[in-house]
Structures are given as structure tokens and as C-alpha cells.
Amino acid sequence: MTDDNAECKVVVDAGVCKMRTLITAKEEMGMIHIDIKSDCPNVLKMSWSLEPISAYSEVEANIHASEIYKLADENIPHAACPVMAGIIKAIEVAGGLGLKRDCSIHFVEPGEVIEIK
């Protein structure tokens, strides 16, 4: 169950392009409203088409059926862009379907040991 007006803010630093995106997802009457501020013109263009979305249907969708990834397919020329995952994580938390916990991508250096338990 979500709190009324639950809000989640996420910042995504996309890496080498040095583009940053601030995603604000806010729950209102069962729908998630998304506001995006970004250095990236492609992400901004994608954001213009965002409409309020059901957290459950978006988080539980197959990737090819996700509204966020459909919009990205039309607007984002780089498949490795992490912004879409950030948007969906913000939707998940604002919709009360997940907890806030940072995510990361770490490039492993030669000789660096990574243990997976």
C-alpha cells in the first residue's frame, strides 16, 4: 500500500557522455506522474511523451512491453543508456512496490577480484 503523494527522486549519471538526469516520480490517486530534468536532449524529448503510468503495470511488464522502453526506443539512440532503468526504479519506489536502494555499474579492472555470494 502506498502513502498518498509518495514521491521518489533519482539522479542518473549516464557515464562517459557526462549527461545527468533528475527523475521525480510522484504517486497521485494510484498513478505515477514523472517529471524529468536532463542535460540530454534525447532524454528530454522522450520525457515530453510521458503520461501518468500505473506502477504495477510498468514494473511487472516485460521489457519489450514497458511504456518507458517503448518511448526510449523512439527517442534514445544509445541502448546502453541507464536512464530508462532509473525511471522504472523511481516508478517502482513511488508506487510502493520497492524500497530505495542505490544501484551501480562498476567496471572491473584487470586483476581486480570480485566475489559473488
Side-chain angles (χ1 to χ4, degrees), residues 59-97:
V59 170
E60 294 295 319
N62 291 324
I63 288 177
H64 71 277
S66 159
E67 291 302 317
I68 300 302
Y69 279 100
K70 285 180 187 177
L71 288 172
D73 186 45
E74 298 169 8
N75 296 283
I76 308 295
H78 192 236
C81 177
V83 171
M84 288 69 66
I87 295 169
I88 293 174
K89 294 303 278 182
I91 290 169
E92 180 180 47
V93 171
L97 302 175

